[in-house]
Amino acid sequence: MNDPQISDGEKQCRIELAACYRLAAHYRMTDTIYTHISARVPGEPGHFLINPYGLMWEEITASSLVKIDVDGNKVADSPYRVNPAGFTIHSAVHIGRHDAAWVMHTHTRSGFAVSCLEEGLMPLNQIALQYYGQIGYHDYEGIALDLEERERIVEALDANIALILRNHGLLTVGATAGQMFSNMFYLNRACEIQESTLAMGRPLRKIDDAVIKRVSEQFSQMAYDDGDVALEWDAQMRLADRLDPGFCD
């Protein structure tokens, strides 16, 4: 990207957001041209970047991302439009959670499956325990075109790092691209493990409540206090570059 009108902060944000799309495509977390990952533009209150509607995630580049405001209006020239349902969900979080600069929503098979269970995500394995006490639930209201739903999405998310949209899919947030992407990667992995576990039709081995709480605290320390998420994101960015450095264009 060589546009002199784009600040260094926005340029880096665009590169990391484009990487998120390419990585999600690599990990098969896409739904062709649907669902979204968005990021707040540094230094521009009320502006955020989202994918151009119509491009598959492996096609997205830093320069093709669309900059819009919280009312869904484009604030920079772009030949692309934005998916209205994507705008509703993502603008809700960006308006209501100022610490959540990055938002990711997916329709993965396992995420959808778990969202259809009354129990939601169950504390059955080590990865799932990462989300103990840090996940909200939002009841399905239909395709997200009603702007009034935004208040209920934010209320359900509360201060959590993840939200299960019942009968719909998964959503994660983060202060950085790395936090958001890691939250989604492992939430989806936990759903995959739960799906496989329940499919075996065998008695479930439950985890003691005290151990569940302790492991959740351990995850938080490793991810944020010990800087593991930052190391993980550096590795993901190297992978994105190996897959196709063109995402930076």
Side-chain angles (χ1 to χ4, degrees):
M1 293 190 62
N2 296 311
D3 189 338
Q5 296 183 331
I6 296 178
S7 68
D8 290 342
E10 180 179 340
K11 188 177 299 183
Q12 183 61 31
C13 182
R14 284 177 172 272
I15 289 172
E16 292 193 60
L17 183 54
C20 287
Y21 280 106
R22 296 297 185 96
L23 289 163
H26 172 71
Y27 290 118
R28 303 177 67 85
M29 291 194 288
T30 69
D31 189 11
T32 65
I33 65 171
Y34 305 102
T35 68
H36 312 276
I37 313 171
S38 63
R40 185 176 295 121
V41 180
E44 296 187 26
H47 292 172
F48 59 99
L49 299 167
I50 199 166
N51 51 317
Y53 193 34
L55 293 188
M56 298 188 77
W57 287 18
E58 58 264 34
E59 299 177 295
I60 292 173
T61 62
S63 59
S64 70
L65 294 162
V66 184
K67 183 158 65 170
I68 62 177
D69 62 21
V70 293
D71 295 316
N73 302 307
K74 289 191 286 188
V75 294
D77 290 338
S78 173
Y80 303 102
R81 63 188 180 97
V82 172
N83 182 351
F87 163 74
T88 299
I89 294 172
H90 287 252
S91 63
V93 180
H94 285 294
I95 293 170
R97 277 280 300 273
H98 297 294
D99 61 313
W102 295 76
V103 183
M104 184 171 184
H105 170 45
T106 62
H107 289 169
T108 62
R109 175 175 175 170
S110 296
F112 242 121
V114 170
S115 78
C116 294
L117 295 178
E118 184 62 37
E119 300 91 339
L121 185 68
M122 303 165 68
L124 294 175
N125 62 79
Q126 178 169 282
I127 294 177
L129 300 189
Q130 177 176 341
Y131 301 93
Y132 177 75
Q134 299 194 75
I135 191 165
Y137 290 85
H138 174 63
D139 288 338
Y140 186 62
E141 300 185 21
I143 297 174
L145 298 174
D146 182 0
L147 294 182
E148 292 182 0
E149 187 180 355
R150 296 192 295 192
E151 294 182 9
R152 294 183 288 277
I153 291 172
V154 172
E155 183 179 1
L157 176 61
D158 197 26
N160 296 305
I161 62 173
L163 179 68
I164 289 184
L165 300 161
R166 291 193 182 276
N167 310 98
H168 185 173
L170 308 177
L171 181 144
T172 61
V173 301
T176 66
Q179 289 177 9
M180 172 206 69
F181 196 86
S182 180
N183 288 338
M184 179 59 75
F185 181 91
Y186 289 107
L187 178 58
N188 189 64
R189 179 65 55 84
C191 290
E192 291 174 338
I193 295 169
Q194 178 170 316
E195 186 180 38
S196 296
T197 301
L198 296 181
M200 289 189 287
R202 304 295 298 162
L204 300 177
R205 180 72 174 183
K206 302 293 181 65
I207 303 174
D208 183 79
D209 288 346
V211 175
I212 290 174
K213 186 175 184 297
R214 178 169 176 265
V215 173
S216 174
E217 294 169 349
Q218 289 175 320
F219 265 117
S220 295
Q221 178 182 346
M222 289 188 298
Y224 300 109
D225 297 344
D226 298 343
D228 287 10
V229 167
L231 289 174
E232 180 185 322
W233 183 239
D234 287 343
Q236 294 282 21
M237 288 295 290
R238 293 194 300 273
L239 173 59
D241 192 61
R242 291 197 302 273
L243 292 171
D244 178 9
F247 75 89
C248 293
D249 294 342

mmCIF file of all heavy atoms in Angstrom, residues 35-63:
data_model
loop_
_atom_site.group_PDB
_atom_site.id
_atom_site.type_symbol
_atom_site.label_atom_id
_atom_site.label_comp_id
_atom_site.label_asym_id
_atom_site.label_seq_id
_atom_site.Cartn_x
_atom_site.Cartn_y
_atom_site.Cartn_z
ATOM 1 N N THR A 35 -20.158 -13.436 6.131
ATOM 2 C CA THR A 35 -19.542 -13.213 7.452
ATOM 3 C C THR A 35 -18.379 -12.240 7.337
ATOM 4 O O THR A 35 -17.929 -11.906 6.235
ATOM 5 C CB THR A 35 -19.131 -14.502 8.180
ATOM 6 O OG1 THR A 35 -18.057 -15.130 7.491
ATOM 7 C CG2 THR A 35 -20.304 -15.433 8.323
ATOM 8 N N HIS A 36 -17.883 -11.780 8.476
ATOM 9 C CA HIS A 36 -17.016 -10.605 8.442
ATOM 10 C C HIS A 36 -15.982 -10.597 9.564
ATOM 11 O O HIS A 36 -16.179 -11.205 10.606
ATOM 12 C CB HIS A 36 -17.862 -9.330 8.560
ATOM 13 C CG HIS A 36 -19.029 -9.309 7.647
ATOM 14 N ND1 HIS A 36 -18.941 -8.899 6.343
ATOM 15 C CD2 HIS A 36 -20.316 -9.698 7.840
ATOM 16 C CE1 HIS A 36 -20.124 -9.025 5.760
ATOM 17 N NE2 HIS A 36 -20.975 -9.513 6.657
ATOM 18 N N ILE A 37 -14.916 -9.859 9.313
ATOM 19 C CA ILE A 37 -13.937 -9.476 10.333
ATOM 20 C C ILE A 37 -13.777 -7.968 10.179
ATOM 21 O O ILE A 37 -13.649 -7.468 9.055
ATOM 22 C CB ILE A 37 -12.582 -10.176 10.141
ATOM 23 C CG1 ILE A 37 -12.758 -11.676 9.888
ATOM 24 C CG2 ILE A 37 -11.680 -9.936 11.352
ATOM 25 C CD1 ILE A 37 -11.462 -12.385 9.485
ATOM 26 N N SER A 38 -13.811 -7.241 11.269
ATOM 27 C CA SER A 38 -13.708 -5.786 11.180
ATOM 28 C C SER A 38 -12.718 -5.261 12.208
ATOM 29 O O SER A 38 -12.408 -5.923 13.201
ATOM 30 C CB SER A 38 -15.078 -5.127 11.387
ATOM 31 O OG SER A 38 -15.576 -5.405 12.682
ATOM 32 N N ALA A 39 -12.239 -4.042 11.950
ATOM 33 C CA ALA A 39 -11.263 -3.417 12.853
ATOM 34 C C ALA A 39 -11.509 -1.918 12.918
ATOM 35 O O ALA A 39 -11.813 -1.283 11.901
ATOM 36 C CB ALA A 39 -9.847 -3.686 12.371
ATOM 37 N N ARG A 40 -11.382 -1.365 14.115
ATOM 38 C CA ARG A 40 -11.496 0.078 14.290
ATOM 39 C C ARG A 40 -10.246 0.750 13.717
ATOM 40 O O ARG A 40 -9.123 0.287 13.936
ATOM 41 C CB ARG A 40 -11.648 0.410 15.773
ATOM 42 C CG ARG A 40 -11.894 1.891 16.057
ATOM 43 C CD ARG A 40 -12.141 2.153 17.523
ATOM 44 N NE ARG A 40 -13.380 1.514 17.972
ATOM 45 C CZ ARG A 40 -13.437 0.612 18.933
ATOM 46 N NH1 ARG A 40 -12.339 0.228 19.542
ATOM 47 N NH2 ARG A 40 -14.586 0.084 19.288
ATOM 48 N N VAL A 41 -10.443 1.841 12.971
ATOM 49 C CA VAL A 41 -9.317 2.557 12.372
ATOM 50 C C VAL A 41 -8.611 3.372 13.449
ATOM 51 O O VAL A 41 -9.240 4.206 14.106
ATOM 52 C CB VAL A 41 -9.786 3.486 11.237
ATOM 53 C CG1 VAL A 41 -8.592 4.233 10.635
ATOM 54 C CG2 VAL A 41 -10.508 2.684 10.153
ATOM 55 N N PRO A 42 -7.316 3.147 13.667
ATOM 56 C CA PRO A 42 -6.593 3.897 14.706
ATOM 57 C C PRO A 42 -6.644 5.408 14.457
ATOM 58 O O PRO A 42 -6.433 5.878 13.341
ATOM 59 C CB PRO A 42 -5.158 3.372 14.576
ATOM 60 C CG PRO A 42 -5.294 2.034 13.926
ATOM 61 C CD PRO A 42 -6.458 2.161 12.997
ATOM 62 N N GLY A 43 -6.964 6.155 15.505
ATOM 63 C CA GLY A 43 -6.966 7.608 15.412
ATOM 64 C C GLY A 43 -8.165 8.199 14.709
ATOM 65 O O GLY A 43 -8.214 9.412 14.485
ATOM 66 N N GLU A 44 -9.159 7.368 14.355
ATOM 67 C CA GLU A 44 -10.353 7.869 13.664
ATOM 68 C C GLU A 44 -11.609 7.354 14.377
ATOM 69 O O GLU A 44 -12.190 6.343 13.980
ATOM 70 C CB GLU A 44 -10.367 7.437 12.199
ATOM 71 C CG GLU A 44 -9.234 8.010 11.373
ATOM 72 C CD GLU A 44 -9.375 7.707 9.884
ATOM 73 O OE1 GLU A 44 -10.514 7.507 9.418
ATOM 74 O OE2 GLU A 44 -8.349 7.668 9.194
ATOM 75 N N PRO A 45 -12.033 8.007 15.433
ATOM 76 C CA PRO A 45 -13.216 7.551 16.180
ATOM 77 C C PRO A 45 -14.429 7.404 15.271
ATOM 78 O O PRO A 45 -14.722 8.276 14.449
ATOM 79 C CB PRO A 45 -13.425 8.662 17.214
ATOM 80 C CG PRO A 45 -12.069 9.288 17.374
ATOM 81 C CD PRO A 45 -11.434 9.218 16.028
ATOM 82 N N GLY A 46 -15.124 6.277 15.420
ATOM 83 C CA GLY A 46 -16.327 6.054 14.638
ATOM 84 C C GLY A 46 -16.103 5.477 13.257
ATOM 85 O O GLY A 46 -17.064 5.250 12.518
ATOM 86 N N HIS A 47 -14.843 5.200 12.893
ATOM 87 C CA HIS A 47 -14.546 4.617 11.584
ATOM 88 C C HIS A 47 -13.966 3.218 11.760
ATOM 89 O O HIS A 47 -13.148 2.993 12.655
ATOM 90 C CB HIS A 47 -13.540 5.473 10.812
ATOM 91 C CG HIS A 47 -14.079 6.786 10.391
ATOM 92 N ND1 HIS A 47 -13.291 7.771 9.829
ATOM 93 C CD2 HIS A 47 -15.352 7.305 10.446
ATOM 94 C CE1 HIS A 47 -14.038 8.818 9.547
ATOM 95 N NE2 HIS A 47 -15.285 8.569 9.916
ATOM 96 N N PHE A 48 -14.406 2.290 10.924
ATOM 97 C CA PHE A 48 -13.791 0.973 10.962
ATOM 98 C C PHE A 48 -13.740 0.358 9.575
ATOM 99 O O PHE A 48 -14.390 0.830 8.634
ATOM 100 C CB PHE A 48 -14.467 0.048 11.976
ATOM 101 C CG PHE A 48 -15.938 -0.223 11.772
ATOM 102 C CD1 PHE A 48 -16.361 -1.385 11.157
ATOM 103 C CD2 PHE A 48 -16.895 0.657 12.249
ATOM 104 C CE1 PHE A 48 -17.709 -1.670 11.000
ATOM 105 C CE2 PHE A 48 -18.253 0.391 12.109
ATOM 106 C CZ PHE A 48 -18.661 -0.782 11.471
ATOM 107 N N LEU A 49 -12.910 -0.678 9.444
ATOM 108 C CA LEU A 49 -12.675 -1.369 8.174
ATOM 109 C C LEU A 49 -13.396 -2.705 8.169
ATOM 110 O O LEU A 49 -13.431 -3.400 9.187
ATOM 111 C CB LEU A 49 -11.168 -1.604 7.968
ATOM 112 C CG LEU A 49 -10.300 -0.350 7.906
ATOM 113 C CD1 LEU A 49 -8.824 -0.729 8.034
ATOM 114 C CD2 LEU A 49 -10.541 0.407 6.602
ATOM 115 N N ILE A 50 -13.945 -3.058 7.006
ATOM 116 C CA ILE A 50 -14.665 -4.312 6.873
ATOM 117 C C ILE A 50 -14.444 -4.838 5.459
ATOM 118 O O ILE A 50 -13.995 -4.094 4.577
ATOM 119 C CB ILE A 50 -16.165 -4.114 7.197
ATOM 120 C CG1 ILE A 50 -16.856 -5.434 7.529
ATOM 121 C CG2 ILE A 50 -16.858 -3.360 6.074
ATOM 122 C CD1 ILE A 50 -18.230 -5.264 8.182
ATOM 123 N N ASN A 51 -14.772 -6.104 5.229
ATOM 124 C CA ASN A 51 -14.498 -6.695 3.924
ATOM 125 C C ASN A 51 -15.430 -6.166 2.842
ATOM 126 O O ASN A 51 -16.595 -5.859 3.085
ATOM 127 C CB ASN A 51 -14.587 -8.223 3.981
ATOM 128 C CG ASN A 51 -15.855 -8.743 4.610
ATOM 129 O OD1 ASN A 51 -16.303 -8.243 5.625
ATOM 130 N ND2 ASN A 51 -16.449 -9.762 3.998
ATOM 131 N N PRO A 52 -14.918 -6.072 1.620
ATOM 132 C CA PRO A 52 -15.750 -5.684 0.485
ATOM 133 C C PRO A 52 -16.709 -6.817 0.126
ATOM 134 O O PRO A 52 -16.286 -7.951 -0.086
ATOM 135 C CB PRO A 52 -14.733 -5.436 -0.634
ATOM 136 C CG PRO A 52 -13.543 -6.257 -0.259
ATOM 137 C CD PRO A 52 -13.509 -6.294 1.234
ATOM 138 N N TYR A 53 -17.983 -6.510 0.104
ATOM 139 C CA TYR A 53 -19.009 -7.528 -0.152
ATOM 140 C C TYR A 53 -18.872 -8.041 -1.590
ATOM 141 O O TYR A 53 -18.906 -7.271 -2.543
ATOM 142 C CB TYR A 53 -20.386 -6.930 0.077
ATOM 143 C CG TYR A 53 -21.510 -7.915 0.159
ATOM 144 C CD1 TYR A 53 -21.330 -9.174 0.706
ATOM 145 C CD2 TYR A 53 -22.786 -7.575 -0.292
ATOM 146 C CE1 TYR A 53 -22.376 -10.073 0.811
ATOM 147 C CE2 TYR A 53 -23.851 -8.471 -0.200
ATOM 148 C CZ TYR A 53 -23.632 -9.723 0.348
ATOM 149 O OH TYR A 53 -24.673 -10.604 0.436
ATOM 150 N N GLY A 54 -18.707 -9.354 -1.704
ATOM 151 C CA GLY A 54 -18.587 -9.974 -3.013
ATOM 152 C C GLY A 54 -17.257 -10.665 -3.235
ATOM 153 O O GLY A 54 -17.154 -11.535 -4.106
ATOM 154 N N LEU A 55 -16.247 -10.309 -2.444
ATOM 155 C CA LEU A 55 -14.946 -10.965 -2.555
ATOM 156 C C LEU A 55 -14.860 -12.140 -1.591
ATOM 157 O O LEU A 55 -15.320 -12.058 -0.446
ATOM 158 C CB LEU A 55 -13.803 -9.994 -2.244
ATOM 159 C CG LEU A 55 -13.577 -8.836 -3.218
ATOM 160 C CD1 LEU A 55 -12.278 -8.113 -2.858
ATOM 161 C CD2 LEU A 55 -13.554 -9.294 -4.666
ATOM 162 N N MET A 56 -14.280 -13.244 -2.053
ATOM 163 C CA MET A 56 -13.999 -14.343 -1.145
ATOM 164 C C MET A 56 -12.815 -13.946 -0.276
ATOM 165 O O MET A 56 -11.993 -13.103 -0.651
ATOM 166 C CB MET A 56 -13.724 -15.620 -1.938
ATOM 167 C CG MET A 56 -14.922 -16.053 -2.770
ATOM 168 S SD MET A 56 -14.733 -17.684 -3.539
ATOM 169 C CE MET A 56 -15.035 -18.747 -2.125
ATOM 170 N N TRP A 57 -12.723 -14.564 0.887
ATOM 171 C CA TRP A 57 -11.741 -14.110 1.867
ATOM 172 C C TRP A 57 -10.298 -14.268 1.384
ATOM 173 O O TRP A 57 -9.431 -13.491 1.757
ATOM 174 C CB TRP A 57 -11.954 -14.838 3.195
ATOM 175 C CG TRP A 57 -13.183 -14.347 3.906
ATOM 176 C CD1 TRP A 57 -14.223 -13.653 3.375
ATOM 177 C CD2 TRP A 57 -13.485 -14.493 5.290
ATOM 178 N NE1 TRP A 57 -15.166 -13.370 4.326
ATOM 179 C CE2 TRP A 57 -14.747 -13.884 5.518
ATOM 180 C CE3 TRP A 57 -12.830 -15.108 6.352
ATOM 181 C CZ2 TRP A 57 -15.336 -13.853 6.775
ATOM 182 C CZ3 TRP A 57 -13.425 -15.082 7.609
ATOM 183 C CH2 TRP A 57 -14.659 -14.449 7.812
ATOM 184 N N GLU A 58 -10.032 -15.268 0.561
ATOM 185 C CA GLU A 58 -8.669 -15.443 0.056
ATOM 186 C C GLU A 58 -8.312 -14.411 -1.015
ATOM 187 O O GLU A 58 -7.162 -14.336 -1.442
ATOM 188 C CB GLU A 58 -8.471 -16.852 -0.492
ATOM 189 C CG GLU A 58 -9.404 -17.248 -1.605
ATOM 190 C CD GLU A 58 -10.607 -18.012 -1.097
ATOM 191 O OE1 GLU A 58 -11.079 -17.710 0.033
ATOM 192 O OE2 GLU A 58 -11.094 -18.911 -1.822
ATOM 193 N N GLU A 59 -9.296 -13.591 -1.436
ATOM 194 C CA GLU A 59 -9.045 -12.545 -2.430
ATOM 195 C C GLU A 59 -8.780 -11.184 -1.802
ATOM 196 O O GLU A 59 -8.329 -10.258 -2.483
ATOM 197 C CB GLU A 59 -10.254 -12.415 -3.367
ATOM 198 C CG GLU A 59 -10.590 -13.645 -4.166
ATOM 199 C CD GLU A 59 -11.831 -13.448 -5.014
ATOM 200 O OE1 GLU A 59 -12.925 -13.263 -4.440
ATOM 201 O OE2 GLU A 59 -11.694 -13.490 -6.248
ATOM 202 N N ILE A 60 -9.071 -11.047 -0.530
ATOM 203 C CA ILE A 60 -9.035 -9.731 0.110
ATOM 204 C C ILE A 60 -7.610 -9.243 0.317
ATOM 205 O O ILE A 60 -6.724 -9.992 0.731
ATOM 206 C CB ILE A 60 -9.800 -9.773 1.438
ATOM 207 C CG1 ILE A 60 -11.299 -9.982 1.143
ATOM 208 C CG2 ILE A 60 -9.596 -8.509 2.259
ATOM 209 C CD1 ILE A 60 -12.152 -10.209 2.364
ATOM 210 N N THR A 61 -7.408 -7.967 0.010
ATOM 211 C CA THR A 61 -6.111 -7.315 0.216
ATOM 212 C C THR A 61 -6.302 -6.103 1.122
ATOM 213 O O THR A 61 -7.437 -5.653 1.360
ATOM 214 C CB THR A 61 -5.511 -6.851 -1.118
ATOM 215 O OG1 THR A 61 -6.392 -5.871 -1.717
ATOM 216 C CG2 THR A 61 -5.318 -8.021 -2.080
ATOM 217 N N ALA A 62 -5.188 -5.554 1.578
ATOM 218 C CA ALA A 62 -5.243 -4.400 2.471
ATOM 219 C C ALA A 62 -5.966 -3.218 1.825
ATOM 220 O O ALA A 62 -6.758 -2.525 2.465
ATOM 221 C CB ALA A 62 -3.827 -4.003 2.878
ATOM 222 N N SER A 63 -5.709 -2.990 0.539
ATOM 223 C CA SER A 63 -6.302 -1.826 -0.134
ATOM 224 C C SER A 63 -7.760 -2.032 -0.507
ATOM 225 O O SER A 63 -8.488 -1.056 -0.726
ATOM 226 C CB SER A 63 -5.495 -1.480 -1.388
ATOM 227 O OG SER A 63 -5.471 -2.568 -2.287
#
